[in-house]
Structure formats: C-alpha cells, structure tokens
Amino acid sequence: MTARIIDGTLLSKRLRSDKVAQRAAALTERGYPPRLAVILVGNNAASQIYVRNKIKACEANGLHAVCDYYPAELIEANLLVRIDQLNRDPRIHGILVQLPLPPHIDAYKVIAAIAPEKDVDGLHVVNMGALMAGKPLFRPCTPYGVMKIFELENIPLTGANAVVIGRSNIVGKPMAMLLVEAGATVTICSSKTRDLAVHTRSAEIVVAATGTWNLVTADMVKPGATVIDVGINRDDKGQLCGDVDFAGVHKVAGHITPVPGGVGPMTITMLLVNTIAAAEYAAG
Ligand code: NDP
C-alpha cells in the first residue's frame, strides 16, 4: 500500500477562499476590517519566517496585520503594557505573541494578559479551559488545522485509536482534547513513554508533534493508518523535514501529511479563520 499524500497547501487554498477571504470582505464592507496584531520579540530566525508568512497570508486574504518587532532585551513589563493597549484597541480583533519568547519573559504571564476574546492562538488559560470543557472559543491553530484535515479528507475519528506524540500546551495536549471530543480513544505519548512503537502500532491515527527527526518509522505504523506530521526539523543535509520518516511510512500508511506542505499551511489558515471569527464576534 502507498499512502494518499494530504496536500495541506491545496486544502488551505480552498479554506482561505471559502472561509476566509469572503468573510473578510463582508466584514470590511460592514466597517469592521479584520485586523491581527502580531508581536515578535528577539531575532529567532524560524520565528521571523513564521511571522512573515502569517502577515503575508493575512494580506493575501483581506485581513490587516500589524506587527511589533522588539529586541530580545525587551522588558516583560513593557510587553504587558503593549498587550494592554492592544486589548483596548477596538480596531484590533486578534493578538498573537510569537513563541518562544526570550527566557527572561514569562510566556504564561504574557499569554494570560491577552484578552481571551482576542486570543486567536487559543492559548489563554480561559480558552484552554473552555476547550477542556468542550466549549472552545478559539481552538489552538495547529490542532485545529489537523482536525480540519481529518474533516476534509473524510477520515473517521469516532471510535478510532489515536496516538498523539508530544504533550505541549501548543500542540500535543489540545490535539488530544480535540480528538477526544471527536470520539477517538486517545493515548498521549512523550519522551517519557517507555515503548512508543507499542502504542503507535495499534493506532489508526498517529499525530507526531515532537521536533525529533525520523522518530516515526514504517515498522511503528499500522498498515492503512493516517499519519499526521506536525514536526518541523532539519535533516542532516539541512532540508526541512518532519518527525516521520516520510519515504518509509508512505509505503505503509493510508494517509500521510508531508513536511513541508502538510500541517504548516493549515496552521496559518486556522489563524486566519480564528481572526475572522474574533472580528465577527466584535462586529456583533
Ligand atoms: P515542544 O518542545 O514544546 O514539545 C515536544 C513534545 O515532544 C514534548 O512533549 C516531548 O516530551 C515530546 N518528545 C520529544 N522527543 C520525543 C521522543 N523522542 N519521543 C516521544 N516524545 C518526544 O514542541 P511543540 O509541541 O511546540 O512542537 C512540536 C513540533 O511541532 C516542533 O517540531 C515544532 O517546530 C512543530 N510545530 C509545527 C507547527 C506547524 O504549524 N506545523 C506549529 C507548532 C509546532 P516531554 O514533554 O517528555 O519533553
């Protein structure tokens, strides 16, 4: 068997024209041009690329984006003051603080300072709690994008055994929660898991979100399983790659996402969707 390759770029294009650009135009017509504020602290090269891509995607789909660039030495208190200003600014509908922040800034405190109704990354503790309660306002963009992939590719989740590898607040935990909501039986693995393959081999769904190159190999995958690769890594030749050995797993799985061109574009698309939803909420 060779897996169907899920084209995240193509799915994103469809979603952006159906669910984003039209709604952005309608909001603008009503006098509520949707606007995202992005904050980038420091000069992490990957973060700079992610922020650039997010701003480009906004502009290409009728959303406005403003970005504050701060040096790595920024004082935490000054960042909190800026977030307070953005919270109060009625022209701003979504606020995104690009992570990671420099170590002297408490990311939890910073995210908690964002008004929950503008937290389009879905990482505020109120939004995390709402997700846990089954009433999410904003779903974190990457797991939300993965759920959209399942939906658009008609991959059944009810009753499926799903393994999420990674337990971060940004990807692993919310991913597991969304799968639970969808009726899957979910196992969350981490670096502390004793025998990862025992879990992945019995799963119809595997979501890898670890940042470890070639972690998931063909012998770890049940034939026909759906394998979603969230990881973003560089291989020994410096090429972009995920957590999954694509060449090997492609021969065993039923569906697989590539890196690049899989989950990455969906993450940005769901950021746009959340920002539109925030603007619609503000517009009543
Ligand atoms: P974190 O570093 O916060 O979390 C990584 C998780 O993976 C941890 O829970 C860790 O376990 C687990 N882990 C690490 N190594 C192993 C291993 N060998 N076996 C099992 N579990 C392991 O990363 P993020 O969740 O923020 O991101 C994960 C990956 O996804 C990264 O590559 C990141 O770049 C990428 N990413 C991609 C996005 C996209 O749009 N495509 C968006 C966001 C992230 P433990 O908790 O025990 O340390």
Side-chain angles (χ1 to χ4, degrees):
M1 161 180 277
T2 51
R4 172 178 157 76
I5 299 171
I6 298 171
D7 186 342
T9 307
L10 190 73
L11 295 180
S12 275
K13 247 189 211 152
R14 266 168 45 195
L15 281 172
R16 289 179 195 189
S17 69
D18 294 356
K19 303 265 181 224
V20 178
Q22 282 179 20
R23 285 161 71 189
L27 278 161
T28 302
E29 214 163 278
R30 288 173 59 200
Y32 296 93
R35 190 172 275 113
L36 174 70
V38 181
I39 294 176
L40 177 61
V41 185
N43 46 18
N44 178 311
S47 292
Q48 286 173 343
I49 295 172
Y50 297 150
V51 165
R52 204 182 310 139
N53 289 342
K54 287 168 186 177
I55 291 173
K56 248 168 63 185
C58 281
E59 288 167 352
N61 291 280
L63 290 84
H64 298 263
V66 290
C67 188
D68 289 1
Y69 297 93
Y70 293 109
E73 302 75 37
L74 177 73
I75 296 166
E76 184 185 277
N78 291 347
L79 180 53
L80 296 175
V81 167
R82 178 60 181 145
I83 289 174
D84 186 49
Q85 283 171 353
L86 293 169
N87 282 341
R88 291 162 191 270
D89 185 341
R91 294 166 308 164
I92 299 293
H93 304 109
I95 302 171
L96 180 152
V97 177
Q98 183 65 42
L99 300 175
L101 287 166
H104 69 279
I105 298 180
D106 180 347
Y108 181 86
K109 199 166 156 188
V110 168
I111 302 295
I114 299 172
E117 67 277 11
K118 294 191 179 187
D119 167 43
V120 286
D121 243 354
L123 301 178
H124 190 287
V125 67
V126 164
N127 285 323
M128 292 289 236
L131 178 66
M132 175 76 109
K135 302 264 177 233
L137 178 60
F138 299 114
R139 297 161 181 85
C141 300
T142 301
Y144 191 12
V146 174
M147 293 305 284
K148 269 287 164 204
I149 288 176
F150 293 136
E151 181 192 319
L152 296 172
E153 292 288 317
N154 295 313
I155 291 162
L157 299 176
T158 311
N161 288 334
V163 167
V164 177
I165 318 173
R167 54 172 169 169
S168 71
N169 288 341
I170 297 174
V171 189
K173 282 187 219 163
M175 184 74 253
M177 206 45 64
L178 289 169
L179 285 164
V180 166
E181 278 296 315
T185 300
V186 183
T187 303
I188 306 174
C189 297
S190 71
S191 68
K192 307 291 183 285
T193 300
R194 271 191 227 113
D195 190 346
L196 186 59
V198 164
H199 300 282
T200 56
R201 271 190 211 119
S202 65
E204 287 97 41
I205 308 280
V206 176
V207 181
T210 72
T212 313
W213 172 44
N214 266 352
L215 178 68
V216 179
T217 48
D219 57 311
M220 296 167 69
V221 173
K222 181 175 177 166
T226 296
V227 180
I228 305 289
D229 195 351
V230 177
I232 302 176
N233 311 299
R234 296 265 169 199
D235 66 15
D236 50 4
K237 295 190 189 79
Q239 298 291 317
L240 215 54
C241 65
D243 293 351
V244 175
D245 167 25
F246 185 87
V249 173
H250 176 241
K251 296 190 187 114
V252 181
H255 290 79
I256 189 167
T257 59
V259 177
V263 174
M266 294 298 283
T267 296
I268 297 184
T269 299
M270 302 330 283
L271 171 67
L272 303 180
V273 168
N274 279 348
T275 305
I276 292 285
E280 287 172 345
Y281 173 74

Short mmCIF file of all heavy atoms in Angstrom, two decimals, residues 198-244:
data_model
loop_
_atom_site.label_atom_id
_atom_site.label_comp_id
_atom_site.label_asym_id
_atom_site.label_seq_id
_atom_site.Cartn_x
_atom_site.Cartn_y
_atom_site.Cartn_z
N VAL A 198 4.81 0.36 20.66
CA VAL A 198 3.69 -0.45 21.14
C VAL A 198 2.38 0.33 20.98
O VAL A 198 1.35 -0.22 20.60
CB VAL A 198 3.91 -0.85 22.62
CG1 VAL A 198 2.63 -1.35 23.27
CG2 VAL A 198 5.01 -1.89 22.72
N HIS A 199 2.46 1.62 21.27
CA HIS A 199 1.26 2.46 21.16
C HIS A 199 0.93 2.78 19.71
O HIS A 199 -0.21 2.64 19.28
CB HIS A 199 1.47 3.75 21.97
CG HIS A 199 1.73 3.50 23.41
ND1 HIS A 199 0.71 3.18 24.29
CD2 HIS A 199 2.88 3.46 24.12
CE1 HIS A 199 1.24 2.99 25.49
NE2 HIS A 199 2.55 3.15 25.42
N THR A 200 1.94 3.22 18.95
CA THR A 200 1.64 3.66 17.58
C THR A 200 1.16 2.50 16.71
O THR A 200 0.31 2.70 15.84
CB THR A 200 2.88 4.31 16.92
OG1 THR A 200 3.97 3.38 16.96
CG2 THR A 200 3.27 5.60 17.64
N ARG A 201 1.66 1.29 16.96
CA ARG A 201 1.29 0.14 16.11
C ARG A 201 -0.19 -0.22 16.21
O ARG A 201 -0.72 -0.89 15.32
CB ARG A 201 2.15 -1.08 16.46
CG ARG A 201 3.42 -1.12 15.68
CD ARG A 201 4.14 -2.45 15.86
NE ARG A 201 5.57 -2.22 15.76
CZ ARG A 201 6.45 -2.47 16.73
NH1 ARG A 201 6.07 -3.01 17.87
NH2 ARG A 201 7.72 -2.20 16.54
N SER A 202 -0.82 0.18 17.29
CA SER A 202 -2.25 -0.18 17.39
C SER A 202 -3.15 1.00 17.04
O SER A 202 -4.36 0.96 17.26
CB SER A 202 -2.56 -0.69 18.81
OG SER A 202 -2.36 0.36 19.71
N ALA A 203 -2.56 2.07 16.49
CA ALA A 203 -3.35 3.29 16.24
C ALA A 203 -3.77 3.43 14.78
O ALA A 203 -2.97 3.18 13.87
CB ALA A 203 -2.53 4.50 16.65
N GLU A 204 -5.02 3.84 14.60
CA GLU A 204 -5.46 4.18 13.23
C GLU A 204 -5.07 5.61 12.89
O GLU A 204 -5.06 5.99 11.72
CB GLU A 204 -6.99 4.06 13.12
CG GLU A 204 -7.51 2.63 13.09
CD GLU A 204 -7.98 2.15 14.45
OE1 GLU A 204 -8.61 2.92 15.18
OE2 GLU A 204 -7.68 0.97 14.79
N ILE A 205 -4.82 6.40 13.94
CA ILE A 205 -4.43 7.81 13.75
C ILE A 205 -3.15 8.03 14.55
O ILE A 205 -3.11 7.74 15.76
CB ILE A 205 -5.50 8.77 14.32
CG1 ILE A 205 -6.91 8.46 13.79
CG2 ILE A 205 -5.09 10.23 14.14
CD1 ILE A 205 -7.23 8.97 12.44
N VAL A 206 -2.13 8.57 13.92
CA VAL A 206 -0.91 8.95 14.65
C VAL A 206 -0.63 10.42 14.33
O VAL A 206 -0.56 10.81 13.16
CB VAL A 206 0.31 8.10 14.22
CG1 VAL A 206 1.58 8.60 14.92
CG2 VAL A 206 0.08 6.63 14.52
N VAL A 207 -0.51 11.23 15.37
CA VAL A 207 -0.12 12.64 15.19
C VAL A 207 1.22 12.81 15.88
O VAL A 207 1.33 12.63 17.11
CB VAL A 207 -1.16 13.61 15.79
CG1 VAL A 207 -0.72 15.06 15.57
CG2 VAL A 207 -2.55 13.38 15.20
N ALA A 208 2.25 13.14 15.12
CA ALA A 208 3.60 13.30 15.68
C ALA A 208 3.91 14.78 15.81
O ALA A 208 3.89 15.51 14.82
CB ALA A 208 4.62 12.61 14.79
N ALA A 209 4.19 15.21 17.03
CA ALA A 209 4.47 16.64 17.28
C ALA A 209 5.57 16.74 18.32
O ALA A 209 5.33 17.11 19.46
CB ALA A 209 3.22 17.37 17.74
N THR A 210 6.79 16.39 17.91
CA THR A 210 7.88 16.33 18.89
C THR A 210 9.09 17.20 18.54
O THR A 210 9.82 17.60 19.43
CB THR A 210 8.40 14.88 19.04
OG1 THR A 210 9.13 14.51 17.88
CG2 THR A 210 7.28 13.91 19.30
N GLY A 211 9.32 17.45 17.26
CA GLY A 211 10.56 18.12 16.89
C GLY A 211 11.74 17.15 16.87
O GLY A 211 12.87 17.55 17.08
N THR A 212 11.46 15.86 16.62
CA THR A 212 12.53 14.85 16.54
C THR A 212 12.50 14.21 15.15
O THR A 212 11.55 13.51 14.80
CB THR A 212 12.31 13.74 17.60
OG1 THR A 212 12.03 14.37 18.84
CG2 THR A 212 13.51 12.84 17.72
N TRP A 213 13.53 14.45 14.42
CA TRP A 213 13.64 13.97 13.04
C TRP A 213 13.63 12.43 13.01
O TRP A 213 14.31 11.79 13.80
CB TRP A 213 14.93 14.54 12.45
CG TRP A 213 15.31 14.00 11.11
CD1 TRP A 213 14.48 13.79 10.05
CD2 TRP A 213 16.61 13.61 10.70
NE1 TRP A 213 15.19 13.30 8.99
CE2 TRP A 213 16.50 13.18 9.36
CE3 TRP A 213 17.87 13.58 11.32
CZ2 TRP A 213 17.59 12.72 8.63
CZ3 TRP A 213 18.95 13.13 10.58
CH2 TRP A 213 18.82 12.70 9.26
N ASN A 214 12.81 11.86 12.10
CA ASN A 214 12.75 10.40 11.88
C ASN A 214 12.31 9.60 13.11
O ASN A 214 12.72 8.45 13.26
CB ASN A 214 14.12 9.87 11.42
CG ASN A 214 14.19 9.82 9.91
OD1 ASN A 214 13.19 10.04 9.23
ND2 ASN A 214 15.36 9.52 9.39
N LEU A 215 11.51 10.20 13.94
CA LEU A 215 11.06 9.48 15.15
C LEU A 215 10.11 8.33 14.78
O LEU A 215 10.18 7.24 15.34
CB LEU A 215 10.35 10.46 16.10
CG LEU A 215 9.78 9.85 17.36
CD1 LEU A 215 10.91 9.38 18.28
CD2 LEU A 215 8.90 10.86 18.10
N VAL A 216 9.21 8.60 13.84
CA VAL A 216 8.20 7.59 13.48
C VAL A 216 8.64 6.90 12.19
O VAL A 216 8.73 7.52 11.13
CB VAL A 216 6.81 8.25 13.29
CG1 VAL A 216 5.78 7.21 12.89
CG2 VAL A 216 6.39 8.98 14.56
N THR A 217 8.90 5.61 12.31
CA THR A 217 9.38 4.84 11.16
C THR A 217 8.31 3.82 10.74
O THR A 217 7.35 3.56 11.48
CB THR A 217 10.70 4.12 11.51
OG1 THR A 217 10.52 3.46 12.77
CG2 THR A 217 11.85 5.10 11.62
N ALA A 218 8.49 3.25 9.54
CA ALA A 218 7.46 2.39 8.95
C ALA A 218 7.05 1.24 9.87
O ALA A 218 5.87 0.88 9.95
CB ALA A 218 7.96 1.85 7.61
N ASP A 219 8.01 0.64 10.58
CA ASP A 219 7.71 -0.51 11.44
C ASP A 219 6.84 -0.12 12.64
O ASP A 219 6.33 -0.99 13.35
CB ASP A 219 9.02 -1.13 11.94
CG ASP A 219 9.88 -0.13 12.67
OD1 ASP A 219 10.08 0.98 12.13
OD2 ASP A 219 10.32 -0.41 13.80
N MET A 220 6.67 1.18 12.87
CA MET A 220 5.87 1.64 14.01
C MET A 220 4.43 1.95 13.62
O MET A 220 3.63 2.36 14.47
CB MET A 220 6.50 2.92 14.60
CG MET A 220 7.88 2.72 15.19
SD MET A 220 8.70 4.29 15.52
CE MET A 220 7.73 4.92 16.87
N VAL A 221 4.12 1.78 12.33
CA VAL A 221 2.82 2.25 11.84
C VAL A 221 1.96 1.08 11.40
O VAL A 221 2.42 0.18 10.68
CB VAL A 221 3.03 3.25 10.67
CG1 VAL A 221 1.71 3.62 10.01
CG2 VAL A 221 3.74 4.50 11.18
N LYS A 222 0.70 1.10 11.83
CA LYS A 222 -0.26 0.08 11.42
C LYS A 222 -0.62 0.30 9.93
O LYS A 222 -0.88 1.44 9.54
CB LYS A 222 -1.52 0.27 12.28
CG LYS A 222 -2.64 -0.70 12.05
CD LYS A 222 -3.72 -0.43 13.09
CE LYS A 222 -4.91 -1.31 12.86
NZ LYS A 222 -5.82 -1.34 14.00
N PRO A 223 -0.65 -0.76 9.12
CA PRO A 223 -1.00 -0.56 7.71
C PRO A 223 -2.34 0.16 7.57
O PRO A 223 -3.31 -0.19 8.24
CB PRO A 223 -1.07 -1.99 7.16
CG PRO A 223 -0.13 -2.76 8.05
CD PRO A 223 -0.27 -2.14 9.41
N GLY A 224 -2.35 1.17 6.72
CA GLY A 224 -3.59 1.91 6.47
C GLY A 224 -3.84 3.08 7.42
O GLY A 224 -4.81 3.82 7.25
N ALA A 225 -2.98 3.25 8.42
CA ALA A 225 -3.20 4.34 9.40
C ALA A 225 -3.03 5.71 8.75
O ALA A 225 -2.39 5.85 7.71
CB ALA A 225 -2.21 4.19 10.56
N THR A 226 -3.63 6.70 9.41
CA THR A 226 -3.43 8.09 8.99
C THR A 226 -2.31 8.68 9.85
O THR A 226 -2.40 8.66 11.08
CB THR A 226 -4.74 8.90 9.18
OG1 THR A 226 -5.72 8.35 8.31
CG2 THR A 226 -4.53 10.37 8.87
N VAL A 227 -1.29 9.19 9.20
CA VAL A 227 -0.13 9.71 9.93
C VAL A 227 0.02 11.20 9.64
O VAL A 227 0.21 11.61 8.48
CB VAL A 227 1.16 8.95 9.54
CG1 VAL A 227 2.36 9.50 10.29
CG2 VAL A 227 1.00 7.45 9.82
N ILE A 228 -0.13 11.99 10.69
CA ILE A 228 -0.07 13.45 10.57
C ILE A 228 1.25 13.92 11.19
O ILE A 228 1.51 13.66 12.38
CB ILE A 228 -1.25 14.12 11.32
CG1 ILE A 228 -2.60 13.58 10.82
CG2 ILE A 228 -1.16 15.63 11.21
CD1 ILE A 228 -3.02 14.00 9.45
N ASP A 229 2.03 14.61 10.39
CA ASP A 229 3.37 15.02 10.84
C ASP A 229 3.38 16.53 11.11
O ASP A 229 3.36 17.34 10.19
CB ASP A 229 4.38 14.68 9.73
CG ASP A 229 5.81 14.73 10.22
OD1 ASP A 229 6.04 15.19 11.35
OD2 ASP A 229 6.70 14.30 9.46
N VAL A 230 3.40 16.87 12.40
CA VAL A 230 3.39 18.28 12.79
C VAL A 230 4.82 18.84 12.89
O VAL A 230 5.05 20.02 12.71
CB VAL A 230 2.65 18.46 14.14
CG1 VAL A 230 2.69 19.90 14.61
CG2 VAL A 230 1.20 17.99 14.03
N GLY A 231 5.76 17.97 13.14
CA GLY A 231 7.13 18.40 13.43
C GLY A 231 7.76 19.22 12.32
O GLY A 231 7.44 19.05 11.14
N ILE A 232 8.61 20.13 12.71
CA ILE A 232 9.40 20.92 11.75
C ILE A 232 10.86 20.80 12.17
O ILE A 232 11.24 21.30 13.24
CB ILE A 232 8.98 22.40 11.71
CG1 ILE A 232 7.49 22.54 11.35
CG2 ILE A 232 9.84 23.18 10.71
CD1 ILE A 232 6.98 23.97 11.38
N ASN A 233 11.64 20.11 11.36
CA ASN A 233 13.04 19.87 11.70
C ASN A 233 13.91 20.09 10.46
O ASN A 233 13.40 20.28 9.36
CB ASN A 233 13.23 18.41 12.17
CG ASN A 233 12.21 18.00 13.21
OD1 ASN A 233 12.16 18.59 14.27
ND2 ASN A 233 11.38 17.01 12.89
N ARG A 234 15.20 20.01 10.66
CA ARG A 234 16.17 19.99 9.55
C ARG A 234 16.87 18.65 9.58
O ARG A 234 17.28 18.19 10.65
CB ARG A 234 17.22 21.09 9.72
CG ARG A 234 16.65 22.48 9.67
CD ARG A 234 16.74 23.08 8.27
NE ARG A 234 15.95 24.31 8.21
CZ ARG A 234 15.53 24.85 7.08
NH1 ARG A 234 15.82 24.29 5.92
NH2 ARG A 234 14.82 25.95 7.08
N ASP A 235 16.97 18.00 8.42
CA ASP A 235 17.69 16.72 8.40
C ASP A 235 19.20 16.96 8.31
O ASP A 235 19.65 18.12 8.36
CB ASP A 235 17.16 15.82 7.26
CG ASP A 235 17.46 16.38 5.88
OD1 ASP A 235 18.31 17.30 5.78
OD2 ASP A 235 16.87 15.91 4.90
N ASP A 236 19.98 15.88 8.16
CA ASP A 236 21.44 16.05 8.18
C ASP A 236 21.96 16.81 6.97
O ASP A 236 23.11 17.24 6.94
CB ASP A 236 22.14 14.69 8.34
CG ASP A 236 21.64 13.65 7.36
OD1 ASP A 236 20.80 14.01 6.49
OD2 ASP A 236 22.09 12.50 7.43
N LYS A 237 21.09 17.00 5.95
CA LYS A 237 21.51 17.81 4.79
C LYS A 237 20.97 19.24 4.89
O LYS A 237 21.06 20.02 3.95
CB LYS A 237 21.01 17.16 3.51
CG LYS A 237 21.61 15.80 3.23
CD LYS A 237 21.26 15.32 1.82
CE LYS A 237 21.68 13.89 1.62
NZ LYS A 237 20.75 12.90 2.22
N GLY A 238 20.31 19.52 6.02
CA GLY A 238 19.77 20.87 6.21
C GLY A 238 18.41 21.06 5.57
O GLY A 238 17.87 22.17 5.54
N GLN A 239 17.81 19.97 5.06
CA GLN A 239 16.49 20.08 4.42
C GLN A 239 15.40 20.06 5.49
O GLN A 239 15.51 19.34 6.49
CB GLN A 239 16.24 18.88 3.49
CG GLN A 239 17.21 18.75 2.32
CD GLN A 239 17.03 19.86 1.30
OE1 GLN A 239 15.90 20.20 0.96
NE2 GLN A 239 18.12 20.42 0.85
N LEU A 240 14.32 20.81 5.20
CA LEU A 240 13.17 20.82 6.09
C LEU A 240 12.53 19.43 6.12
O LEU A 240 12.33 18.81 5.07
CB LEU A 240 12.16 21.83 5.52
CG LEU A 240 11.32 22.65 6.48
CD1 LEU A 240 12.20 23.36 7.49
CD2 LEU A 240 10.48 23.64 5.71
N CYS A 241 12.21 18.93 7.30
CA CYS A 241 11.53 17.63 7.38
C CYS A 241 10.74 17.57 8.68
O CYS A 241 10.89 18.44 9.55
CB CYS A 241 12.55 16.49 7.32
SG CYS A 241 13.64 16.47 8.73
N GLY A 242 9.92 16.54 8.80
CA GLY A 242 9.08 16.42 9.98
C GLY A 242 9.63 15.41 10.98
O GLY A 242 10.84 15.16 11.03
N ASP A 243 8.72 14.81 11.76
CA ASP A 243 9.10 13.80 12.75
C ASP A 243 8.99 12.38 12.16
O ASP A 243 9.37 11.41 12.80
CB ASP A 243 8.15 13.86 13.95
CG ASP A 243 8.29 15.14 14.75
OD1 ASP A 243 9.24 15.91 14.49
OD2 ASP A 243 7.45 15.37 15.64
N VAL A 244 8.39 12.30 10.97
CA VAL A 244 8.06 11.00 10.38
C VAL A 244 9.04 10.69 9.24
O VAL A 244 9.33 11.58 8.43
CB VAL A 244 6.60 11.03 9.85
CG1 VAL A 244 6.25 9.74 9.12
CG2 VAL A 244 5.62 11.31 10.99
#
